[in-house]
Amino acid sequence: MSARDHEWQYNPRVTTPDSARYRERAEAESAATRERLAFAGDIAYGERPESTLDLFPGTPGGPAHLFLHGGYWRGRDKRDFSFVAAPLVEIGTTVLVANYQLCPAATLREIIAQTADLLAALPGLAERHGFDASRVIASGHSAGAHLLAAAMSAPEHRARTAGSVRSLVLVSGIFDLTPVPAISVNEEIRLDPGDVTALSPMAMDPPEGVAMDIVVGGAESPGWIAQSALYAEKCQLAGVDADFLVAPCENHSSIMETYADAASPLFARLSALPGFA
């Protein structure tokens, strides 16, 4: 395919109409959420730069939901996604929205290790903040989905992240990094083609002992939808309890608005996962 077509298939900012408008809406709703809900900001979960999270408390002793933002590993911030907390806190769930260091200040390999730090820190966070460490669901959007899958699958992190969460929800993720070196954002990501296989969940054994929902928007590009479909198939063939879901008509940005809408089928699916139910 041409360079232009490749960029359209694998750069969601190019594919998504009015992506700036979605971002502005998310920032405004997130600011309103922080005004409306109690939260503790910038809690440290590790020693690496940007190893902080915002915590929105739910019912003491109840479940928790960890959310990891997207931004192609080189953009966005946890404060852009506070809005995901509102409907979850309403059903008694403690919500943790985490940051990580961004490219090019950190390499992608380092960010995966930082995500493993975050998952390994969950029991201690549960003890200090009063949620049930055995009932944690983790979700990530886009790059965040990749980071969770990689941190729970990479051989060097697998032991310390095993059992950290009951369920994974991977929303519009990228799981095969082969397209990344040829898209414009790699100017900041600086992914070496030699690292593509080593850092791709598609090239790793899937995590064990965790239920997975792998979700993508029906209005995303065919290449991006294929990322989720093929990763779900890989997980299923490995015997993992993994479901593949297409959210009709949703694009790469609108799917997160639906994800945080208490009236949506996607949220109903989320709130019925092992750990919540």
Side-chain angles (χ1 to χ4, degrees), residues 47-63:
E47 300 298 322
R48 301 171 196 265
E50 304 298 330
S51 293
T52 61
L53 57 85
D54 293 342
L55 184 145
F56 298 81
T59 302

Side-chain angles (χ1 to χ4, degrees), residues 58-180:
T59 302
H65 185 94
L66 169 67
F67 178 76
L68 211 56
H69 70 81
Y72 240 136
W73 311 291
R74 92 281 184 243
R76 308 303 297 269
D77 182 88
K78 59 183 169 57
R79 294 291 173 97
D80 298 341
F81 291 91
S82 302
F83 71 90
V84 303
L88 291 164
V89 170
E90 287 254 336
I91 60 172
T93 304
T94 293
V95 178
L96 303 87
V97 186
N99 259 0
Y100 49 87
Q101 197 173 21
L102 301 176
C103 299
T107 66
L108 184 51
R109 188 180 296 273
E110 289 169 335
I111 301 170
I112 293 169
Q114 186 172 21
T115 305
D117 294 344
L118 170 62
L119 293 169
L122 286 169
L125 290 164
E127 185 175 350
R128 291 192 296 275
H129 297 283
F131 59 87
D132 186 346
S134 70
R135 298 175 65 197
V136 180
I137 288 82
S139 71
H141 175 235
S142 196
H146 163 270
L147 291 172
L148 288 171
M152 295 194 71
S153 302
E156 64 269 34
H157 304 305
R158 198 175 183 93
R160 69 189 182 114
T161 60
S164 56
V165 300
R166 286 280 300 279
S167 301
L168 277 177
V169 185
L170 306 177
V171 183
S172 298
I174 180 166
F175 305 104
D176 178 355
L177 305 188
T178 303
V180 174

